[in-house]
Amino acid sequence: MASTLSTLTLPGSPALPLNASHHLHPALHSFSIETAFWTAYMGNVTHPSILTKNLLANLKDRTGTPPQVRVGGITADSTFWNETLDTPLFNFVTEDGDLVNTTIGPDFWKTFAVLPDDTEIIMNLNLDTGIYEAALLVANATVQGLQPGQLIAMEIGNEPDHYGKYTAQTYAETWKTWGKNISDALDITEPFFQIGATAEDPIWPYGTAAGDAALDCVSALKAGANNESTAKSCSEHTYQYSVCDSKRAAVATLTNLVNHTRLAMYLDLWQPRINFVRENLGEDAFVVGEYNSVSCAGHDGVSNTFGQALWLLDTTLYAASINISRMYIHQGGPLSAQGDLQLNHGGMSLYNLWYPVSNKNGPVKIFPSYYAYLFIAETLGPSTTLRIGNVWPGRQANNSGITTELGDTSAGQLVAYGFWDDAVSTEYPTKLALLNLESYNETTAVRPNSTFDISTYVACNQSIRVRRLQAPGADVIEGNVTTWAGQTFSYEDGTALGEVVEEMMDESEITVAASEAALVFLPDCS
């Protein structure tokens, strides 16, 4: 649907909104890497991945803090430790291509040298097999193998609501016992475990028997999972669309994906859980520990496009605005354990931000979505006192996003976020993120645009700076024609190509083309 607005004057007061977020975590834009695909991303001891190393370093360079990395996913539930293994990681795969299990050994930890210094790790342990000793061995090896302070949390199991054997009560009992026993065995004296890692979306309307019976962070905590005080944080997983079966694949389209109303309504489902977890475990305690656009490894022409980059930018910023502390975008490949009906089989996932190795789905390359993480990193910068507010379309009284029916005259296509820094001023924002999600494909003749009038949010008559996230169209799948601030990044080694392009503007009207986003740096008038 095309935007009905050629010009949008941003409404409201320029002061920090009452419903603005907590201070944004500097690792808001984090990663979840499937255990079985870890060495595909990191390389090995003798041949580390320079591409992965530099792409992650680019993000740290913009904030001073590297993204956090969760090692996990569905293969964590079939991962075992072998201290005699002579390779970092071994995947046992059948002749039919089915992954049976993954084994890691002492050299596994050496591959972590590819990560930027000070990268914090969350390790996902094996719960589904029910073998406590196996989980303890991996936990102990992780504590011993990583640098002091590098491991910040562990998860017990991945998506236990899909095991088919747990209620909230039985999960809570198992999780509580394992968490306490592992803590005692490894002399961990503080809350150190991330509870949940559940897959299913909240059931709407709330308060139904089915919804209340679902296994999730809230139901597990209410069932006593944290009675031994081992829970540090809560993780749930979000995949807005899916190709795990043909029915869901039919609606996993680019048009459906790149729409602010749809994604806001989707993430708003989690707000009661976010509020509960923050009240019980702390303001930074709710994270989306695994997410992407389309589950079961993505959808060609959707997940690998510049459209997904715009969705990723909007999703991460909207999640931050409702106090989701960190978002861990999942990277890996299709797995037979996810089901026989899924669309994808083999290779690497179509939703990955880059391919570190050549595979059946394509050569080594960077996808447009990586550039969205550059935008986010530059928005955060080095500040630890930044807050975000959803300026347009804004919030309802119940804190849910304003939809088309309730007054979003852009029909979910124009979005504006403001960023206020408590260390600078709460009277005016320091930055604005302006997104034009109106669909434009590379082959379309005329590219529309919309103008954001930001005059209310500019404190004084000084120049503003603008950097843009751009591509020839939403359907583009190549990172080498996608730009952030005028730069592309090398498929060979992940380094920047070209000069930074930054516009200096004296006016308060910013034109943003369809399928484009702009980061506006506002003047400090203090």
Side-chain angles (χ1 to χ4, degrees), residues 240-257 294-295 298-299 302 341-343:
Q240 193 173 342
Y241 293 95
S242 181
V243 291
C244 294
D245 55 71
S246 58
K247 182 178 179 180
R248 285 183 287 174
V251 297
T253 65
L254 192 58
T255 300
N256 284 342
L257 183 71
V294 182
S295 66
H299 199 349
V302 178
L341 300 178
Q342 66 185 21
L343 194 63

Side-chain angles (χ1 to χ4, degrees), residues 39 41-53 110-111 113-114:
T39 50
Y41 272 88
M42 300 299 133
N44 58 35
V45 176
T46 57
H47 295 87
S49 173
I50 301 304
L51 179 64
T52 294
K53 183 181 182 71
K110 296 178 182 178
T111 66
V114 167

Side-chain angles (χ1 to χ4, degrees), residues 9-15 17 390-392 420 427-428 453-457:
T9 300
L10 294 187
S13 164
N390 186 208
V391 175
W392 178 267
W420 288 259
E427 297 303 311
Y428 285 89
D453 184 339
I454 65 170
S455 53
T456 299
Y457 291 82

Side-chain angles (χ1 to χ4, degrees), residues 16-194:
L16 179 72
L18 293 176
N19 59 11
S21 72
H22 58 223
H23 290 151
L24 298 182
H25 198 289
L28 168 65
H29 53 307
S30 287
F31 289 89
S32 168
I33 298 178
E34 189 69 51
T35 309
F37 287 84
W38 180 259
T39 50
Y41 272 88
M42 300 299 133
N44 58 35
V45 176
T46 57
H47 295 87
S49 173
I50 301 304
L51 179 64
T52 294
K53 183 181 182 71
N54 287 334
L55 291 178
L56 293 174
N58 294 337
L59 299 173
K60 181 184 177 181
D61 289 346
R62 286 161 168 79
T63 62
T65 301
Q68 293 178 356
V69 178
R70 172 209 187 220
V71 185
I74 194 170
T75 59
D77 272 320
S78 55
T79 293
F80 299 88
W81 171 255
N82 183 345
E83 64 180 6
T84 66
L85 190 69
D86 60 0
T87 187
L89 178 150
F90 177 75
N91 288 322
F92 176 38
V93 180
T94 68
E95 292 181 357
D96 295 329
D98 294 338
L99 177 66
V100 177
N101 58 45
T102 298
T103 305
I104 58 175
D107 283 350
F108 183 70
W109 313 114
K110 296 178 182 178
T111 66
F112 285 63
V114 167
L115 302 173
D117 290 344
D118 303 320
T119 298
E120 295 178 328
I121 301 297
I122 296 170
M123 191 69 181
N124 193 184
L125 308 178
N126 179 341
L127 173 64
D128 192 21
T129 60
I131 306 172
Y132 166 76
E133 292 77 11
L136 177 60
L137 283 173
V138 172
N140 180 63
T142 306
V143 170
Q144 298 299 320
L146 294 179
Q147 297 298 314
Q150 189 175 20
L151 181 68
I152 61 165
M154 289 184 280
E155 290 181 338
I156 302 172
N158 178 76
E159 300 182 351
D161 52 334
H162 279 184
Y163 294 173
K165 61 187 177 185
Y166 280 128
T167 64
Q169 187 65 50
T170 57
Y171 168 80
E173 286 297 325
T174 301
W175 193 93
K176 177 183 67 176
T177 301
W178 284 33
K180 177 66 163 60
N181 290 346
I182 293 171
S183 294
D184 289 346
L186 303 184
D187 196 26
I188 297 171
T189 58
E190 59 187 24
F192 203 72
F193 290 88
Q194 191 155 271

Side-chain angles (χ1 to χ4, degrees), residues 400-424:
S400 295
I402 292 176
T403 64
T404 303
E405 293 76 14
L406 293 175
D408 177 9
T409 50
S410 78
Q413 299 304 291
L414 300 184
V415 192
Y417 296 96
F419 301 86
W420 288 259
D421 195 329
D422 287 352
V424 178

